[in-house]
Amino acid sequence: MKIGVFDSGLGGLTVVRELRRLCSSEEIIYLGDTARVPYGIRSDQVVQQYAHECATFLLKQQVDIVVVACNTVSAVAIEQLKLDFTVPVFGVIEPGAEEAVRISEGKPIGVLGTFATVESGAYGRAIVKLGSKQVLESQAAPLLVPLVEEGWIAGEVPRQVIRRYLEPLLRKNIRALILGCTHYPLLKELIEAELKQLSKTPVTVVDSGIALAENLRQYIQNGTPGALEEVTGEPITGRGKLSVYVTDTPRRFKTLAEKFLGEQIGNIEAIKLV
Ligand code: DGL
């Protein structure tokens, strides 16, 4: 199966990393819209237009499914993409929400994301759609994206920033915390350490990218997206081809891409979308 994945930039490679771990024999075509990142501060209308252009490019590469790695696009544009294209379109919101509901025993859930993701209310809607009455506490965490891009994923500065974003959520006694942005998995260790320090009760971190990859793995194996069950069994073995496309080659983009992906990338091709 040919899986097309896109994101506003290179952060979506954290989702590709999980796909290569859990669906490792599948071919992946990745598009990072590096010329127009960030999407998280833009209007819904503009994000929808950009998302349509990214998906159109992937479909020209004859992908069988489209994976929206970007939380912002998943939050404000996925319904439109599902209407515009006939191939299955997967986003990160529903799998992340499902996993959070599954592990949080009816207690409040927290989410960190971009302004667009938080303002969309998409995670809250996904929780309601699951039939859950759980409270969702949302926190926009705009400083985390530049910190990750700068490579500041450990130490006092990111720790202080994370603390500021976590405190309001912890006052609401959250039991699970969704990492609602492609960049945050790189801060997962630090976030978990802070949660341990600050919270009296354990808070489990949910990586939406992992939840999506687990869902997709079930879809590929059974032909249906896996809902609330936990994935069991060995990961599919092998290493499918990975092609990476970007809309600009900004400074340090290869180093950054490899950091998100967690492996070296042979070739990154620059393309024009419009
Ligand atoms: N990829 C975006 C997300 O997951 C983060 C970066 C951006 O704002 O474009 O929401």
Side-chain angles (χ1 to χ4, degrees), residues 7-8 37-40 70-72 114 117 145 181-183:
D7 177 45
S8 56
V37 68
Y39 284 10
C70 183
N71 278 262
T72 304
T114 62
T117 300
V145 167
C181 174
T182 48
H183 287 56

